Amino acid sequence: MSGALLNIDNVTVSFDGFKALNNLNFSMNEGELRVIIGPNGAGKTTFLDVITGKVKPTEGKAYFKGSDLSKHKEHEISRMGVGRKFQTPRVYLNLSPRENLELSANRQKSVFPTLLKQTPTPEKRTVNSLLETIGLYEKGDIPAALLSHGEKQWLEIGMLVAQSPDLLLVDEPVAGLTDEETEKTGKLLMALAESHSVIVIEHDMEFVRQIARQVTVLHEGSVLFEGTMDQVQNDPRVIEVYLGQEATVTPEQMLILRIAASMAWADDNFAPVQQEVILSELSRQFASDPAGQQALREELQNYLAKRIPLEELVPQLQTPQQRELALKLSYEIISSNTINETEARVYQRLLSLLDLPPETVARLEAAALESLKS
Ligand code: ADP
Ligand code: MG
């Protein structure tokens, strides 16, 4: 373990006896760009939680730059140089990208001087070069609310870099991005990896192929395999637990399913038997074979436990076709029994987020009722 930036030594994390991490061993050197993949529930997020100190190991130790992380609180670990970017952007929408970056760079200091005073010149230079790096120089002074989903992701990566961490943790950076944005994100992370150590968690295989040098595959809380992307793709165990499942639904379909599923749960009174109907209905529609259907059910259940708000999901839809399918499925789901007030309210919220023409909505609602009859 000498010289390793990060060393995870036989770490187990138990939640009421369930081992989200199970005797996990992992080590990474300074300057590495490491990608972590694994099926849903493999322990990827818990792994990041251990590194940031959000979760303490039940057994084993985690070391960052040789320090035992169990002896430090979350904010101390962050000051030691561990920075984390969450899956959904957390930028200030009413501030410009420049102001967001200035705030991040000043986070240790008071927030007010940044807003009230002129930023000193050396800092301006850093912020300018950061805007350049994340491809937002031209849009540096418009409200961040006007940025695309991808641009917001880059801004948040920039905000993370502005805090000068030694290790960047990035959770699913390309979920919901267009192909072009995905490629740009890969280039950005590779550029950052020249001066930082980076851990990226990702599902999108095309993306992993683009950026990955060394890949670690997690499965049931342990490291299943480690190697280059070529080795990973050819390992029979990996194919069985991960790549085999991946083909069942595309990320775009999963997004639509998640929206439809959150409609199903709009009303907390859903009886278990009705949940069952919806889960099997959705997995049947989207996955053809029983194994795929089972994987999808698990994924949906996993999602439902997390309750990501519609406000975060819907903007990730890329095309009118995707928005239309999300609407049709959602309407089908709430119409499968009598629509109550809560469901009606959530449905109205979905409609306003989708922003489809009224005649399209009417057509899709009719089509949904039609397919319910058949
Ligand atoms: P991944 O990010 O790979 O999908 P997670 O680390 O989120 O996996 O979760 C691993 C397993 O641990 C899952 O089965 C999840 O349900 C469980 N888990 C995660 N956090 C908790 C918690 N706070 N309490 C109970 N179980 C949890
Ligand atoms: Mg996760």
Side-chain angles (χ1 to χ4, degrees):
M1 64 170 270
S2 63
L5 176 73
L6 182 67
N7 200 69
I8 309 287
D9 187 14
N10 258 303
V11 163
T12 295
V13 171
S14 302
F15 295 114
D16 300 322
F18 174 80
K19 291 179 176 175
L21 296 183
N22 190 1
N23 274 309
L24 182 89
N25 286 290
F26 177 91
S27 166
M28 163 175 172
N29 291 321
E30 190 145 359
E32 256 193 78
L33 167 61
R34 184 73 70 93
V35 179
I36 307 220
I37 63 172
N40 237 296
K44 302 181 297 295
T45 299
T46 308
F47 175 73
L48 292 190
D49 289 343
V50 165
I51 302 172
T52 59
K54 189 176 169 201
V55 162
K56 298 290 176 201
T58 315
E59 284 166 55
K61 294 263 185 222
Y63 300 91
F64 177 66
K65 294 195 274 193
S67 293
D68 178 354
L69 291 179
S70 66
K71 297 202 163 67
H72 297 276
K73 301 218 169 67
E74 221 176 330
H75 69 272
E76 291 171 335
I77 294 172
S78 153
R79 248 186 280 130
M80 284 159 72
V82 175
R84 177 176 193 169
K85 187 206 157 302
F86 287 89
Q87 210 175 319
T88 42
R90 297 174 175 197
V91 303
Y92 292 101
L93 295 176
N94 53 337
L95 299 182
S96 67
R98 183 185 301 282
E99 289 163 333
N100 270 289
L101 291 174
E102 284 167 358
L103 271 181
S104 294
N106 281 293
R107 193 147 284 169
Q108 276 88 334
K109 308 164 207 162
S110 162
V111 160
F112 296 102
T114 326
L115 293 174
L116 299 177
K117 280 188 229 149
Q118 288 283 49
T119 320
T121 318
E123 211 157 81
K124 239 180 210 161
R125 217 171 290 136
T126 325
V127 168
N128 278 336
S129 77
L130 209 44
L131 281 169
E132 197 94 59
T133 307
I134 60 176
L136 291 180
Y137 191 79
E138 315 278 276
K139 297 190 176 177
D141 296 302
I142 64 170
L146 300 178
L147 301 177
S148 73
H149 180 61
E151 289 167 338
K152 284 191 200 112
Q153 295 279 354
W154 303 330
L155 174 55
E156 220 200 1
I157 292 174
M159 287 160 66
L160 190 54
V161 174
Q163 297 163 49
S164 322
D166 300 310
L167 173 62
L168 287 164
L169 308 175
V170 190
D171 205 349
E172 296 200 35
V174 301
L177 300 195
T178 63
D179 288 351
E180 198 191 331
E181 287 175 331
T182 297
E183 202 188 318
K184 272 194 175 171
T185 306
K187 288 197 178 132
L188 171 58
L189 289 174
M190 286 193 288
L192 292 176
E194 284 172 19
S195 47
H196 296 80
S197 312
V198 185
I199 294 182
V200 180
I201 291 203
E202 194 42 71
H203 266 106
D204 183 325
M205 279 301 136
E206 202 53 49
F207 178 73
V208 173
R209 217 167 287 127
Q210 183 196 342
I211 66 164
R213 294 154 212 186
Q214 193 75 358
V215 180
T216 297
V217 185
L218 290 193
H219 178 52
E220 294 177 351
S222 305
V223 172
L224 176 74
F225 189 83
E226 227 162 49
T228 63
M229 192 58 199
D230 277 343
Q231 291 168 334
V232 164
Q233 283 181 298
N234 289 309
D235 183 81
R237 290 165 306 166
V238 176
I239 292 170
E240 192 188 327
V241 306
Y242 186 63
L243 301 173
Q245 285 185 12
E246 197 223 359
T248 53
V249 285
T250 65
E252 291 73 30
Q253 286 176 324
M254 183 48 86
L255 179 61
I256 293 168
L257 277 171
R258 286 174 166 191
I259 291 168
S262 73
M263 283 308 298
W265 261 253
D267 167 12
D268 284 322
N269 297 322
F270 250 108
V273 58
Q274 287 173 311
Q275 298 185 10
E276 192 47 42
V277 169
I278 285 155
L279 281 178
S280 43
E281 171 70 21
L282 289 178
S283 43
R284 223 181 12 253
Q285 277 204 37
F286 282 83
S288 50
D289 62 306
Q293 288 172 8
Q294 185 53 34
L296 188 53
R297 286 171 64 99
E298 279 164 21
E299 183 124 5
L300 282 171
Q301 243 149 3
N302 210 321
Y303 157 65
L304 291 165
K306 288 180 197 150
R307 290 182 170 273
I308 303 174
L310 286 175
E311 281 71 12
E312 290 180 26
L313 294 170
V314 175
Q316 294 179 37
L317 294 169
Q318 295 299 323
T319 64
Q321 287 81 355
Q322 289 173 5
R323 293 207 296 277
E324 290 181 17
L325 183 54
L327 174 74
K328 178 166 177 280
L329 267 178
S330 301
Y331 194 70
E332 241 175 83
I333 282 169
I334 57 165
S335 306
S336 61
N337 62 332
T338 317
I339 302 177
N340 66 28
E341 218 176 290
T342 322
E343 289 170 329
R345 220 174 25 241
V346 177
Y347 183 66
Q348 283 309 317
R349 234 173 64 219
L350 175 69
L351 281 182
S352 80
L353 286 165
L354 285 170
D355 199 22
L356 290 163
E359 49 293 358
T360 308
V361 173
R363 172 171 57 78
L364 293 168
E365 287 180 351
L369 292 178
E370 205 47 48
S371 49
L372 272 183
K373 274 188 227 151
S374 58

